[in-house]
Amino acid sequence: MDFLKSILHKYTSVSLMMRIFIGLMIGVFLGLVAPKLTGIGILGRMFVSALKGIAPVLVAVLVISSIAKAGRGLGRRFTSLVVIYMLSTFIAAVCAVVGSFLFPVTLQLGEMADGVEIGQGAGSLAEVFTNLLTNMVSNPIAAVANANYIAILFWSIILGIALKTTASKATVQVSHDLSDVVSRVVKWVIQFAPFGILGLVFTTVSENGLSVFTTYGHLLLLLVGCMLVNTFVFNPLISLIMLHRNPYPLLFTCLKESGLQAFFTRSSAANIPINMALCKKLGLDEKFYSVSIPLGATINMDGAAVTITVFSLAVAHTVGVDVSFASALFLGVIATVGACGASGVAGGSLLLIPMACSFFGIGNDVAMQAVAIGFIIGVVQDSVETALNSSGDAFFTATAEFYDRRKSGKSGNSLQD
């Protein structure tokens, strides 16, 4: 037992990013030199199946817990901040929609062992909306078992509100503890991502050759491009409109002191103390940022909205679903809501792709293959996403407080002040 613990400790002491990179390289090598070793592919299928099993439970407990523990009476600054968070996330989703239509991407998807559902997409916004209403009120237990993310999200919101209004503090804490437990399980699953990536890359390279990485490269460029546009154009624009000041000194400070840290930790939750220290350095009200920063780690998910939207539309393009621009914009709304339930662990937003895909009738088996591709490119994608999300928490917290000071006539509504 001590020997196994020692091996596990040495394994986890190496950064997950490095382990995934090593697994990816080994998968490429084996796929090229030994393509007939098909048994290696079972590692990838096991990893995808594990994600399929835990993802619906994770979404349910995270949404229930976050709603049950949400504070009340947070004042004008919090009202402004929540509006900014949600607006920014929606703009990010719209940016991803526009990018996906201008530069459409297709993926290399193969059949899963338990079958594939392809081409059952809704052709119009009315059909998508009807699909939403029908699926939304499905049996909640069956929804978790069948990965019906629409119903999971709906019933989780209802249960969260019920807990918030009727349950004792101890019961609410139990829901929070349960979300922590499930998040821990997800972290354990993700610790074995290098083996899953090895199997997935082996299967992809042995069947398609190295040309498949051209597609992944296009996908990665689209994802990172949309995130950077949101970071350097739309987020500063929101701050500029509110503060009537140059937003870039504040933005670059947040990127330097928060974004860089988040890029390497790849966890918004782990970066909360960094953002707290940054807010203190900026001279913000501790009573405000002590709540706004954890809140932002939950609902300020620009990068997650981009990831969910781009991947979902890429899957739709791949399987031949005809998605109108109006339907895609509606997907942006869903991605905005869904991103707020994204897990704070590395790759958490990827687990919400099946929910978005389900709006176009794309089956869970197909969607989870896109999730697996997300982990392959996650070394860059998830790092940039987390940097955008976490630095945005501090950036918009400062923007909301400086806006409140400006409206009330107080001094100190800029970074220099």
Side-chain angles (χ1 to χ4, degrees):
M1 183 63 70
D2 291 339
F3 177 70
L4 292 177
K5 287 182 178 180
S6 176
I7 293 177
L8 185 61
H9 176 71
K10 290 180 180 179
Y11 173 74
T12 55
S13 64
V14 180
S15 71
L16 180 63
M17 190 181 304
M18 178 59 68
R19 281 180 276 143
I20 288 178
F21 178 76
I22 292 172
L24 190 152
M25 290 296 101
I26 294 175
V28 171
F29 176 77
L30 292 177
L32 291 174
V33 302
K36 295 184 179 181
L37 295 177
T38 55
I40 297 175
I42 189 64
L43 296 173
R45 293 194 292 272
M46 287 177 63
F47 180 61
V48 171
S49 295
L51 290 177
K52 285 171 58 179
I54 195 62
V57 181
L58 176 68
V59 172
V61 297
L62 282 175
V63 174
I64 291 172
S65 174
S66 62
I67 292 177
K69 289 185 71 68
R72 298 180 180 179
L74 298 177
R76 185 174 65 182
R77 282 180 296 181
F78 282 97
T79 301
S80 300
L81 185 65
V82 170
V83 171
I84 295 172
Y85 279 163
M86 299 305 294
L87 176 62
S88 175
T89 303
F90 176 67
I91 290 174
V94 173
C95 180
V97 168
V98 174
S100 295
F101 271 78
L102 291 176
F103 309 101
V105 172
T106 56
L107 307 174
Q108 294 286 347
L109 302 178
E111 290 193 352
M112 300 290 291
D114 53 351
V116 176
E117 298 172 23
I118 294 179
Q120 300 178 11
S124 68
L125 182 60
E127 291 177 72
V128 172
F129 192 67
T130 301
N131 227 8
L132 165 65
L133 294 179
T134 303
N135 291 332
M136 190 171 63
V137 292
S138 300
N139 182 289
I141 305 300
V144 173
N146 299 323
N148 178 357
Y149 288 89
I150 310 306
I152 290 171
L153 194 61
F154 173 77
W155 288 114
S156 295
I157 292 172
I158 298 299
L159 290 171
I161 293 173
L163 275 174
K164 182 180 177 65
T165 55
T166 62
S168 65
K169 291 183 178 180
T171 303
V172 172
Q173 184 59 42
V174 168
S175 73
H176 181 67
D177 292 341
L178 181 60
S179 71
D180 288 342
V181 169
V182 178
S183 295
R184 176 66 62 86
V185 173
V186 173
K187 290 179 181 179
W188 289 345
V189 172
I190 291 176
Q191 286 298 321
F192 292 94
F195 295 99
I197 298 306
L198 189 158
L200 292 167
V201 172
F202 169 83
T203 300
T204 300
V205 172
S206 63
E207 293 179 355
N208 303 284
L210 289 176
S211 62
V212 70
F213 287 102
T214 303
T215 300
Y216 292 162
H218 292 166
L219 175 64
L220 187 58
L221 285 174
L222 178 58
L223 286 163
V224 173
C226 290
M227 292 179 194
L228 292 179
V229 168
N230 204 66
T231 300
F232 292 105
V233 178
F234 293 114
N235 285 358
L237 182 61
I238 293 173
S239 183
L240 174 65
I241 292 172
M242 295 186 68
L243 301 182
H244 300 171
R245 297 288 186 95
N246 179 6
Y248 286 100
L250 175 61
L251 175 66
F252 290 135
T253 297
C254 292
L255 288 174
K256 177 183 176 182
E257 301 199 17
S258 173
L260 285 178
Q261 295 278 356
F263 182 89
F264 292 105
T265 63
R266 298 175 66 196
S267 171
S268 297
N271 214 49
I272 286 176
I274 303 296
N275 278 338
M276 293 281 200
L278 175 57
C279 288
K280 183 177 182 179
K281 182 178 179 179
L282 293 174
L284 306 184
D285 182 3
E286 184 175 359
K287 293 181 180 178
F288 178 49
Y289 69 72
S290 64
V291 179
S292 69
I293 293 300
L295 178 67
T298 302
I299 68 172
N300 182 40
M301 291 290 175
D302 297 9
V306 169
T307 297
I308 294 168
T309 304
V310 168
F311 266 100
S312 301
L313 290 176
V315 173
H317 291 149
T318 301
V319 302
V321 175
D322 184 18
V323 181
S324 67
F325 189 75
S327 297
L329 287 179
F330 185 71
L331 171 66
V333 175
I334 302 308
T336 301
V337 176
C340 295
S343 170
V345 300
S349 62
L350 297 174
L351 302 181
L352 294 170
I353 292 172
M355 179 191 72
C357 286
S358 67
F359 281 97
F360 301 116
I362 299 172
N364 192 49
D365 294 329
V366 175
M368 289 309 297
Q369 292 181 71
V371 173
I373 292 173
F375 276 101
I376 293 175
I377 65 173
V379 174
V380 176
Q381 170 268 326
D382 194 48
S383 295
V384 176
E385 175 185 318
T386 307
L388 168 58
N389 291 342
S390 192
S391 63
D393 297 343
F395 179 71
F396 286 132
T397 291
T399 295
E401 178 153 338
F402 293 156
Y403 174 75
D404 182 67
R405 293 179 188 179
R406 188 176 73 85
K407 296 293 286 187
S408 60
K410 298 179 181 179
S411 63
N413 61 338
S414 73
L415 179 61
Q416 289 77 12
D417 293 336

